[in-house]
mmCIF file of all heavy atoms in Angstrom:
data_model
loop_
_atom_site.group_PDB
_atom_site.id
_atom_site.type_symbol
_atom_site.label_atom_id
_atom_site.label_comp_id
_atom_site.label_asym_id
_atom_site.label_seq_id
_atom_site.Cartn_x
_atom_site.Cartn_y
_atom_site.Cartn_z
ATOM 1 N N ALA A 1 -62.582 -11.579 30.902
ATOM 2 C CA ALA A 1 -62.041 -13.015 31.115
ATOM 3 C C ALA A 1 -61.697 -13.044 32.611
ATOM 4 O O ALA A 1 -61.428 -12.015 33.279
ATOM 5 C CB ALA A 1 -60.869 -13.262 30.269
ATOM 6 N N PRO A 2 -61.583 -14.269 33.207
ATOM 7 C CA PRO A 2 -61.273 -14.340 34.611
ATOM 8 C C PRO A 2 -59.960 -13.592 34.994
ATOM 9 O O PRO A 2 -59.063 -13.517 34.226
ATOM 10 C CB PRO A 2 -61.055 -15.915 34.876
ATOM 11 C CG PRO A 2 -61.874 -16.521 33.734
ATOM 12 C CD PRO A 2 -61.802 -15.516 32.599
ATOM 13 N N ASP A 3 -59.910 -13.049 36.249
ATOM 14 C CA ASP A 3 -58.795 -12.175 36.640
ATOM 15 C C ASP A 3 -57.410 -12.901 36.582
ATOM 16 O O ASP A 3 -56.403 -12.183 36.312
ATOM 17 C CB ASP A 3 -59.015 -11.589 38.021
ATOM 18 C CG ASP A 3 -60.276 -10.632 38.027
ATOM 19 O OD1 ASP A 3 -60.434 -9.970 37.033
ATOM 20 O OD2 ASP A 3 -60.950 -10.544 38.990
ATOM 21 N N PHE A 4 -57.374 -14.130 36.911
ATOM 22 C CA PHE A 4 -56.052 -14.870 36.981
ATOM 23 C C PHE A 4 -55.428 -14.971 35.576
ATOM 24 O O PHE A 4 -54.283 -15.308 35.397
ATOM 25 C CB PHE A 4 -56.158 -16.212 37.661
ATOM 26 C CG PHE A 4 -56.814 -17.255 36.835
ATOM 27 C CD1 PHE A 4 -56.209 -17.944 35.831
ATOM 28 C CD2 PHE A 4 -58.217 -17.513 37.040
ATOM 29 C CE1 PHE A 4 -56.864 -18.888 35.048
ATOM 30 C CE2 PHE A 4 -58.859 -18.472 36.229
ATOM 31 C CZ PHE A 4 -58.161 -19.172 35.289
ATOM 32 N N MET A 5 -56.199 -14.677 34.553
ATOM 33 C CA MET A 5 -55.679 -14.813 33.162
ATOM 34 C C MET A 5 -54.708 -13.614 32.802
ATOM 35 O O MET A 5 -53.972 -13.753 31.863
ATOM 36 C CB MET A 5 -56.846 -14.737 32.137
ATOM 37 C CG MET A 5 -57.782 -15.935 32.280
ATOM 38 S SD MET A 5 -57.368 -17.288 31.272
ATOM 39 C CE MET A 5 -57.734 -16.638 29.669
ATOM 40 N N LYS A 6 -54.749 -12.557 33.574
ATOM 41 C CA LYS A 6 -53.952 -11.380 33.269
ATOM 42 C C LYS A 6 -52.493 -11.856 33.278
ATOM 43 O O LYS A 6 -51.969 -12.298 34.292
ATOM 44 C CB LYS A 6 -54.210 -10.340 34.318
ATOM 45 C CG LYS A 6 -53.556 -9.032 33.951
ATOM 46 C CD LYS A 6 -54.233 -7.801 34.377
ATOM 47 C CE LYS A 6 -53.587 -6.557 33.790
ATOM 48 N NZ LYS A 6 -53.845 -6.438 32.389
ATOM 49 N N ASP A 7 -51.886 -11.766 32.182
ATOM 50 C CA ASP A 7 -50.371 -12.050 32.012
ATOM 51 C C ASP A 7 -50.070 -13.447 32.480
ATOM 52 O O ASP A 7 -49.017 -13.688 33.002
ATOM 53 C CB ASP A 7 -49.512 -11.023 32.767
ATOM 54 C CG ASP A 7 -49.940 -9.532 32.391
ATOM 55 O OD1 ASP A 7 -50.137 -9.351 31.296
ATOM 56 O OD2 ASP A 7 -49.923 -8.765 33.325
ATOM 57 N N ILE A 8 -50.981 -14.417 32.380
ATOM 58 C CA ILE A 8 -50.677 -15.834 32.775
ATOM 59 C C ILE A 8 -49.562 -16.358 31.917
ATOM 60 O O ILE A 8 -49.600 -16.342 30.702
ATOM 61 C CB ILE A 8 -51.949 -16.656 32.694
ATOM 62 C CG1 ILE A 8 -51.725 -18.114 33.312
ATOM 63 C CG2 ILE A 8 -52.568 -16.778 31.341
ATOM 64 C CD1 ILE A 8 -52.969 -18.953 33.518
ATOM 65 N N ALA A 9 -48.496 -16.838 32.571
ATOM 66 C CA ALA A 9 -47.397 -17.418 31.907
ATOM 67 C C ALA A 9 -46.750 -16.632 30.853
ATOM 68 O O ALA A 9 -46.277 -17.085 29.849
ATOM 69 C CB ALA A 9 -47.716 -18.793 31.441
ATOM 70 N N GLY A 10 -46.917 -15.266 31.000
ATOM 71 C CA GLY A 10 -46.287 -14.384 30.003
ATOM 72 C C GLY A 10 -47.018 -14.272 28.710
ATOM 73 O O GLY A 10 -46.536 -13.713 27.702
ATOM 74 N N LEU A 11 -48.257 -14.826 28.643
ATOM 75 C CA LEU A 11 -49.023 -14.711 27.389
ATOM 76 C C LEU A 11 -49.585 -13.353 27.218
ATOM 77 O O LEU A 11 -49.936 -12.704 28.211
ATOM 78 C CB LEU A 11 -50.181 -15.737 27.380
ATOM 79 C CG LEU A 11 -49.837 -17.231 27.361
ATOM 80 C CD1 LEU A 11 -51.138 -18.106 27.558
ATOM 81 C CD2 LEU A 11 -49.177 -17.618 26.092
ATOM 82 N N GLU A 12 -49.818 -12.882 26.043
ATOM 83 C CA GLU A 12 -50.308 -11.522 25.725
ATOM 84 C C GLU A 12 -51.835 -11.502 26.066
ATOM 85 O O GLU A 12 -52.571 -12.324 25.588
ATOM 86 C CB GLU A 12 -50.008 -11.107 24.330
ATOM 87 C CG GLU A 12 -50.363 -9.615 24.086
ATOM 88 C CD GLU A 12 -50.225 -9.311 22.572
ATOM 89 O OE1 GLU A 12 -49.749 -10.118 21.743
ATOM 90 O OE2 GLU A 12 -50.681 -8.220 22.187
ATOM 91 N N THR A 13 -52.195 -10.471 26.933
ATOM 92 C CA THR A 13 -53.611 -10.316 27.294
ATOM 93 C C THR A 13 -53.986 -8.820 26.970
ATOM 94 O O THR A 13 -53.152 -7.950 26.966
ATOM 95 C CB THR A 13 -53.920 -10.638 28.721
ATOM 96 O OG1 THR A 13 -53.016 -9.915 29.579
ATOM 97 C CG2 THR A 13 -53.817 -12.106 29.011
ATOM 98 N N ASN A 14 -55.348 -8.570 26.818
ATOM 99 C CA ASN A 14 -55.789 -7.206 26.647
ATOM 100 C C ASN A 14 -56.300 -6.691 27.997
ATOM 101 O O ASN A 14 -56.156 -7.312 29.080
ATOM 102 C CB ASN A 14 -56.813 -7.084 25.519
ATOM 103 C CG ASN A 14 -58.122 -7.894 25.852
ATOM 104 O OD1 ASN A 14 -58.259 -8.437 26.943
ATOM 105 N ND2 ASN A 14 -59.062 -7.965 24.941
ATOM 106 N N ARG A 15 -56.914 -5.461 27.945
ATOM 107 C CA ARG A 15 -57.309 -4.856 29.213
ATOM 108 C C ARG A 15 -58.439 -5.553 29.961
ATOM 109 O O ARG A 15 -58.642 -5.462 31.198
ATOM 110 C CB ARG A 15 -57.723 -3.374 29.021
ATOM 111 C CG ARG A 15 -58.821 -3.122 28.100
ATOM 112 C CD ARG A 15 -59.137 -1.711 27.803
ATOM 113 N NE ARG A 15 -60.227 -1.669 26.845
ATOM 114 C CZ ARG A 15 -61.463 -1.850 27.108
ATOM 115 N NH1 ARG A 15 -61.908 -2.161 28.333
ATOM 116 N NH2 ARG A 15 -62.432 -1.819 26.212
ATOM 117 N N ILE A 16 -59.213 -6.453 29.280
ATOM 118 C CA ILE A 16 -60.200 -7.250 29.987
ATOM 119 C C ILE A 16 -59.757 -8.686 30.116
ATOM 120 O O ILE A 16 -60.606 -9.566 30.162
ATOM 121 C CB ILE A 16 -61.630 -7.109 29.329
ATOM 122 C CG1 ILE A 16 -61.632 -7.418 27.835
ATOM 123 C CG2 ILE A 16 -62.146 -5.719 29.482
ATOM 124 C CD1 ILE A 16 -63.032 -7.580 27.191
ATOM 125 N N ASN A 17 -58.437 -8.882 30.225
ATOM 126 C CA ASN A 17 -57.831 -10.181 30.526
ATOM 127 C C ASN A 17 -57.985 -11.248 29.413
ATOM 128 O O ASN A 17 -57.655 -12.400 29.600
ATOM 129 C CB ASN A 17 -58.367 -10.812 31.835
ATOM 130 C CG ASN A 17 -58.281 -9.816 32.904
ATOM 131 O OD1 ASN A 17 -57.470 -8.961 32.958
ATOM 132 N ND2 ASN A 17 -59.154 -9.888 33.952
ATOM 133 N N GLN A 18 -58.491 -10.879 28.234
ATOM 134 C CA GLN A 18 -58.604 -11.850 27.166
ATOM 135 C C GLN A 18 -57.300 -12.182 26.576
ATOM 136 O O GLN A 18 -56.408 -11.290 26.480
ATOM 137 C CB GLN A 18 -59.569 -11.354 26.063
ATOM 138 C CG GLN A 18 -60.998 -11.264 26.367
ATOM 139 C CD GLN A 18 -61.796 -10.556 25.271
ATOM 140 O OE1 GLN A 18 -61.372 -9.552 24.742
ATOM 141 N NE2 GLN A 18 -62.972 -11.151 24.911
ATOM 142 N N LEU A 19 -57.011 -13.421 26.158
ATOM 143 C CA LEU A 19 -55.767 -13.859 25.500
ATOM 144 C C LEU A 19 -55.788 -13.325 24.078
ATOM 145 O O LEU A 19 -56.742 -13.568 23.307
ATOM 146 C CB LEU A 19 -55.618 -15.366 25.512
ATOM 147 C CG LEU A 19 -55.400 -15.969 26.910
ATOM 148 C CD1 LEU A 19 -55.515 -17.483 26.809
ATOM 149 C CD2 LEU A 19 -54.042 -15.664 27.428
ATOM 150 N N VAL A 20 -54.768 -12.600 23.676
ATOM 151 C CA VAL A 20 -54.702 -12.107 22.311
ATOM 152 C C VAL A 20 -54.200 -13.268 21.429
ATOM 153 O O VAL A 20 -53.235 -13.885 21.634
ATOM 154 C CB VAL A 20 -53.695 -10.860 22.237
ATOM 155 C CG1 VAL A 20 -53.684 -10.336 20.852
ATOM 156 C CG2 VAL A 20 -54.143 -9.801 23.238
ATOM 157 N N VAL A 21 -55.018 -13.533 20.405
ATOM 158 C CA VAL A 21 -54.733 -14.656 19.485
ATOM 159 C C VAL A 21 -54.581 -14.092 18.027
ATOM 160 O O VAL A 21 -54.977 -13.075 17.619
ATOM 161 C CB VAL A 21 -55.792 -15.768 19.451
ATOM 162 C CG1 VAL A 21 -55.932 -16.420 20.815
ATOM 163 C CG2 VAL A 21 -57.188 -15.147 19.074
ATOM 164 N N LYS A 22 -53.781 -14.989 17.305
ATOM 165 C CA LYS A 22 -53.581 -14.722 15.840
ATOM 166 C C LYS A 22 -54.848 -15.194 15.091
ATOM 167 O O LYS A 22 -55.667 -15.921 15.711
ATOM 168 C CB LYS A 22 -52.349 -15.455 15.388
ATOM 169 C CG LYS A 22 -51.069 -14.988 15.941
ATOM 170 C CD LYS A 22 -49.884 -15.592 15.439
ATOM 171 C CE LYS A 22 -49.634 -16.985 15.864
ATOM 172 N NZ LYS A 22 -48.302 -17.591 15.445
ATOM 173 N N PRO A 23 -55.066 -14.837 13.859
ATOM 174 C CA PRO A 23 -56.292 -15.315 13.206
ATOM 175 C C PRO A 23 -56.434 -16.812 13.195
ATOM 176 O O PRO A 23 -57.517 -17.410 12.987
ATOM 177 C CB PRO A 23 -56.123 -14.770 11.770
ATOM 178 C CG PRO A 23 -55.239 -13.601 11.954
ATOM 179 C CD PRO A 23 -54.380 -13.898 13.072
ATOM 180 N N THR A 24 -55.320 -17.594 13.378
ATOM 181 C CA THR A 24 -55.351 -19.066 13.455
ATOM 182 C C THR A 24 -55.944 -19.559 14.819
ATOM 183 O O THR A 24 -55.993 -20.756 15.063
ATOM 184 C CB THR A 24 -53.972 -19.698 13.200
ATOM 185 O OG1 THR A 24 -53.121 -19.070 14.224
ATOM 186 C CG2 THR A 24 -53.574 -19.493 11.817
ATOM 187 N N LEU A 25 -56.198 -18.634 15.766
ATOM 188 C CA LEU A 25 -56.668 -18.840 17.077
ATOM 189 C C LEU A 25 -55.508 -19.353 18.057
ATOM 190 O O LEU A 25 -55.811 -19.751 19.211
ATOM 191 C CB LEU A 25 -57.884 -19.894 17.118
ATOM 192 C CG LEU A 25 -59.117 -19.419 16.393
ATOM 193 C CD1 LEU A 25 -60.106 -20.535 16.364
ATOM 194 C CD2 LEU A 25 -59.642 -18.144 16.897
ATOM 195 N N GLN A 26 -54.240 -19.273 17.523
ATOM 196 C CA GLN A 26 -53.107 -19.573 18.412
ATOM 197 C C GLN A 26 -52.751 -18.271 19.155
ATOM 198 O O GLN A 26 -52.886 -17.231 18.547
ATOM 199 C CB GLN A 26 -51.905 -20.089 17.574
ATOM 200 C CG GLN A 26 -52.140 -21.461 16.915
ATOM 201 C CD GLN A 26 -51.135 -21.676 15.876
ATOM 202 O OE1 GLN A 26 -51.061 -20.856 14.881
ATOM 203 N NE2 GLN A 26 -50.249 -22.637 15.924
ATOM 204 N N THR A 27 -52.269 -18.402 20.402
ATOM 205 C CA THR A 27 -51.896 -17.187 21.093
ATOM 206 C C THR A 27 -50.618 -16.611 20.458
ATOM 207 O O THR A 27 -49.808 -17.333 19.824
ATOM 208 C CB THR A 27 -51.563 -17.551 22.573
ATOM 209 O OG1 THR A 27 -50.536 -18.592 22.618
ATOM 210 C CG2 THR A 27 -52.778 -17.964 23.376
ATOM 211 N N THR A 28 -50.455 -15.311 20.590
ATOM 212 C CA THR A 28 -49.331 -14.599 19.857
ATOM 213 C C THR A 28 -47.936 -15.048 20.306
ATOM 214 O O THR A 28 -47.031 -14.920 19.631
ATOM 215 C CB THR A 28 -49.474 -13.065 20.090
ATOM 216 O OG1 THR A 28 -49.720 -12.876 21.551
ATOM 217 C CG2 THR A 28 -50.716 -12.610 19.369
ATOM 218 N N VAL A 29 -47.912 -15.495 21.613
ATOM 219 C CA VAL A 29 -46.530 -15.797 22.110
ATOM 220 C C VAL A 29 -46.170 -17.342 22.065
ATOM 221 O O VAL A 29 -45.029 -17.665 21.755
ATOM 222 C CB VAL A 29 -46.500 -15.481 23.659
ATOM 223 C CG1 VAL A 29 -45.190 -15.857 24.289
ATOM 224 C CG2 VAL A 29 -46.860 -13.964 23.839
ATOM 225 N N ASP A 30 -47.248 -18.209 22.061
ATOM 226 C CA ASP A 30 -47.000 -19.624 22.068
ATOM 227 C C ASP A 30 -47.935 -20.370 21.121
ATOM 228 O O ASP A 30 -49.142 -20.338 21.289
ATOM 229 C CB ASP A 30 -47.167 -20.184 23.511
ATOM 230 C CG ASP A 30 -46.704 -21.594 23.707
ATOM 231 O OD1 ASP A 30 -46.711 -22.347 22.744
ATOM 232 O OD2 ASP A 30 -46.279 -21.893 24.801
#
C-alpha cells in the first residue's frame, strides 16, 4: 500500500502498509 499509509492517524497497518480490517471491512481501531 502507499508509504504514507503506514500508521496513518494511528490506524493499525501491516508490514506492507495495508490497513488491518475486521471481517466487516471496518478498520480495527475506528
Side-chain angles (χ1 to χ4, degrees):
D3 293 328
F4 71 83
M5 294 271 288
K6 190 150 184 70
D7 308 319
I8 186 169
L11 294 172
E12 188 187 351
T13 52
N14 64 6
R15 59 182 178 78
I16 55 170
N17 310 331
Q18 289 174 315
L19 291 169
V20 180
V21 295
K22 296 187 286 191
T24 53
L25 301 175
Q26 293 161 297
T27 55
T28 48
V29 178
D30 193 328

